[in-house]
Amino acid sequence: MKFVWVAIGGALGSLARYTLGAWIYSRMGTRFPYGTFVINITGCFVIGLALSILDAHTELPSAWRLAVPIGFVGAYTTFSTFEFETFRAAQENPAIALLYVGSSVVLGYGAVYLGIQTSKLFG
């Protein structure tokens, strides 16, 4: 049953991401990635709100923790998870948080570059 809650939340999150992104891009254009930017920032708000409420109200069914932060927000944007994990790491060890952010950005950019270069082998 756990997978069902994640899947329901994920389906709704991916639909929300697509719908909001398309709506924003149709109004603001694509010169700047406004859609992704808004989705990432709103996802950060939603995950912070949801996890704070769920942590404070442990009497809520566990299905909410599966459906909202994992399913919905996970499909809506993984950037929010990255930011939430960075926030938690910064509270415990700011150096670890800085390492996480720096290495994620640099290695992630490198991985995109390598993926693009590798695709040329198939193409």
Side-chain angles (χ1 to χ4, degrees):
M1 193 63 185
K2 292 179 180 181
F3 293 107
V4 172
W5 289 113
V6 173
I8 291 169
L12 294 173
S14 61
L15 289 171
R17 177 188 178 98
Y18 175 77
T19 303
L20 181 59
W23 182 79
I24 291 170
Y25 283 124
S26 72
R27 280 153 184 75
M28 301 189 77
T30 58
R31 183 172 179 161
F32 181 85
Y34 296 106
T36 301
F37 180 78
V38 168
I39 288 163
N40 285 341
I41 301 307
T42 57
C44 290
F45 174 80
V46 172
I47 201 168
L49 177 68
L51 288 175
S52 295
I53 290 171
L54 290 167
D55 287 347
H57 297 281
T58 55
E59 74 279 2
L60 292 171
S62 61
W64 285 103
R65 186 170 290 277
L66 296 168
V68 179
I70 296 172
F72 181 86
V73 182
Y76 184 69
T77 174
T78 58
F79 183 76
S80 58
T81 304
F82 169 73
E83 291 295 343
F84 190 79
E85 289 173 344
T86 301
F87 178 82
R88 285 252 169 107
Q91 290 178 320
E92 296 175 19
N93 187 337
I96 293 295
L98 186 60
L99 177 65
Y100 181 47
V101 169
S103 61
S104 293
V105 170
V106 171
L107 294 174
Y109 186 87
V112 167
Y113 175 81
L114 288 174
I116 290 168
Q117 296 307 311
T118 302
S119 74
K120 294 175 182 177
L121 299 172
F122 301 98

